[in-house]
Amino acid sequence: QVQVVESGGGLVQAGGSLRLSCVASGSIRSINAMGWYRQTPGKQRELVATITSGGSTNYADSVKGRFTISSDSARNTVYLQMNSLKPEDTADYYCNAQNVFTWQGSRYYNTWGQGTQVTVSS
């Protein structure tokens, strides 16, 4: 069984910063990619940023230049540094681990965390 747990959300004023963390746990041999997505009520979940095991990153246009995704592959951990936050960044942020391979030979295509709430006040 593979689990993904996020932390680091909270309330911050516009222009402020937050750092989200996400840890994947289980008998993990490798993870192809991890990423952050966000969702607000009534809207579809949208990509924020992803990072592959090789270090390639991808960002939504709305966060480029403000957010930075990084990872510690040895700890199966991914971070999202969010700077210059705007009220429109307010959402529930979800961590995703894609193509997780375990030592038992299992493959988990998409594993999601429970989410962490980020609120940016104006």
Side-chain angles (χ1 to χ4, degrees):
Q1 187 78 13
V2 172
Q3 290 185 323
V4 171
V5 178
E6 307 97 336
S7 62
L11 172 65
V12 64
Q13 287 189 330
S17 298
L18 278 176
R19 190 192 195 205
L20 305 183
S21 299
C22 169
V23 179
S25 62
S27 184
I28 296 172
R29 178 168 60 87
S30 64
I31 303 174
N32 279 9
M34 295 184 75
W36 290 95
Y37 296 73
R38 65 188 182 188
Q39 188 171 22
T40 54
K43 293 189 176 181
Q44 284 192 331
R45 193 170 295 184
E46 64 176 11
L47 178 145
V48 176
T50 60
I51 185 167
T52 69
S53 57
S56 297
T57 59
N58 182 43
Y59 293 92
D61 287 343
S62 60
V63 306
K64 283 180 181 177
R66 300 188 298 121
F67 291 11
T68 302
I69 189 169
S70 60
S71 65
D72 182 343
S73 57
R75 292 178 171 81
N76 296 321
T77 300
V78 65
Y79 306 97
L80 186 68
Q81 179 66 43
M82 304 185 294
N83 298 329
S84 302
L85 282 160
K86 304 175 181 180
E88 50 264 44
D89 294 318
T90 295
D92 291 322
Y93 283 71
Y94 295 88
C95 181
N96 171 267
Q98 191 177 71
N99 287 323
V100 179
F101 296 87
T102 70
W103 289 106
Q104 288 74 25
S106 297
R107 177 182 183 180
Y108 294 79
Y109 289 88
N110 272 299
T111 304
W112 291 92
Q114 292 296 308
T116 185
Q117 190 172 51
V118 172
T119 303
V120 184
S121 63
S122 57

